[in-house]
Amino acid sequence: GAVVSQHPSWVICKSGTSVKIECRSLDFQATTMFWYRQFPKQSLMLMATSNEGSKATYEQGVEKDKFLINHASLTLSTLTVTSAHPEDSSFYICSALPLSWTSGTYNEQFFGPGTRLTVL
Amino acid sequence: DAKTTQPPSMDCAEGRAANLPCNHSTISGNEYVYWYRQIHSQGPQYIIHGLKNNETNEMASLIITEDRKSSTLILPHATLRDTAVYYCIVSTGYALNFGKGTSLLVTP
């Protein structure tokens, strides 16, 4: 099956610093990648949709200036948490939709293993 | 996307079938029913999907009612490794909106 990787798998940083998380589709090209956030004992919440070569679309309540998303190629999307604070500590997960995605038909998304961010 | 309702938790004895229900009464004609699961601290794992017909793969079976307003995921012989949160999602296949899911505990 298709594989999506995330790097790093975990990161600890000081408050006020910026952290970059990479999401890569290893054996397929992805038109679209999604970024989710998951707090302890809660479900995944969609943060933003990232399309290659265009600006990301953010869900309501997600600060686009704080969570910078870049989708520069069909295999890589990055999420940068700028000026991170302890409340940004969470599990960040990406998923990738293959290039062959077609509206109205079945499409399997492939999820990365997640990145655990701890801000001290 | 249509909203889904799942029981918050279920228990199942190892080796028995686990039947996880999901209500999606507002599903529209072009929306698929997807099931994913998430084992603690990992990314979600795809299980199965369906549109109208019942489906079976190596992991599970999906039973969708004729009116498509509800479905049941069946793990035929649950093992301890099936302990996870199971998410029923209704979507056209683009963004997946995860609800709270069902926390399944498989016991020895």
Side-chain angles (χ1 to χ4, degrees):
Chain A
V3 179
V4 174
S5 70
Q6 285 184 238
H7 178 80
S9 56
W10 59 270
V11 56
I12 301 173
C13 70
K14 293 182 179 180
S15 185
T17 61
S18 294
V19 175
K20 180 185 285 187
I21 302 171
E22 293 184 349
C23 176
R24 291 182 185 273
S25 55
L26 297 186
D27 49 5
F28 66 98
Q29 292 182 319
T31 309
T32 301
M33 290 183 175
F34 301 92
W35 286 97
Y36 296 83
R37 179 168 54 180
Q38 185 175 34
F39 293 110
K41 298 188 184 299
Q42 295 186 24
S43 185
L44 285 78
M45 295 298 297
L46 180 65
M47 297 176 66
T49 302
S50 166
N51 289 295
E52 185 267 338
S54 62
K55 290 184 178 180
T57 303
Y58 292 81
E59 295 299 303
Q60 189 173 8
V62 177
E63 300 175 56
K64 62 179 181 180
D65 295 330
K66 181 169 183 63
F67 298 99
L68 301 179
I69 292 173
N70 184 284
H71 194 157
S73 77
L74 289 173
T75 59
L76 172 65
S77 176
T78 59
L79 168 68
T80 301
V81 184
T82 62
S83 187
H85 291 285
E87 57 266 30
D88 299 322
S89 297
S90 189
F91 192 49
Y92 292 86
I93 305 169
C94 71
S95 70
L97 199 56
L99 195 61
S100 56
W101 178 84
T102 304
S103 176
T105 65
Y106 162 66
N107 299 281
E108 182 175 348
Q109 286 188 31
F110 301 95
F111 284 82
T115 296
R116 186 160 303 282
L117 170 64
T118 302
V119 185
L120 302 177
Chain B
D1 293 341
K3 184 178 178 180
T4 61
T5 304
Q6 299 177 250
S9 64
M10 293 183 65
D11 292 346
C12 177
E14 187 178 20
R16 304 297 294 268
N19 297 279
L20 291 83
C22 179
N23 286 320
H24 33 78
S25 58
T26 60
I27 190 171
S28 61
N30 64 343
E31 289 181 314
Y32 286 79
V33 179
Y34 294 83
W35 282 84
Y36 281 78
R37 73 180 182 184
Q38 185 180 26
I39 296 171
H40 182 63
S41 294
Q42 297 182 24
Q45 176 190 20
Y46 165 81
I47 301 174
I48 200 167
H49 77 281
L51 184 62
K52 296 180 182 178
N53 301 320
N54 298 336
E55 303 288 345
T56 296
N57 63 20
E58 64 277 5
M59 288 183 68
S61 294
L62 174 60
I63 309 298
I64 303 175
T65 58
E66 193 170 341
D67 63 6
R68 303 210 321 129
K69 293 185 177 181
S70 65
S71 61
T72 301
L73 177 74
I74 301 172
L75 307 179
H77 305 287
T79 70
L80 299 180
R81 288 179 294 180
D82 292 323
T83 291
V85 178
Y86 287 76
Y87 296 99
C88 168
I89 302 167
V90 172
S91 172
T92 55
Y94 196 58
L96 299 177
N97 290 304
F98 288 78
K100 297 182 179 180
T102 296
S103 179
L104 175 68
L105 176 64
V106 181
T107 56

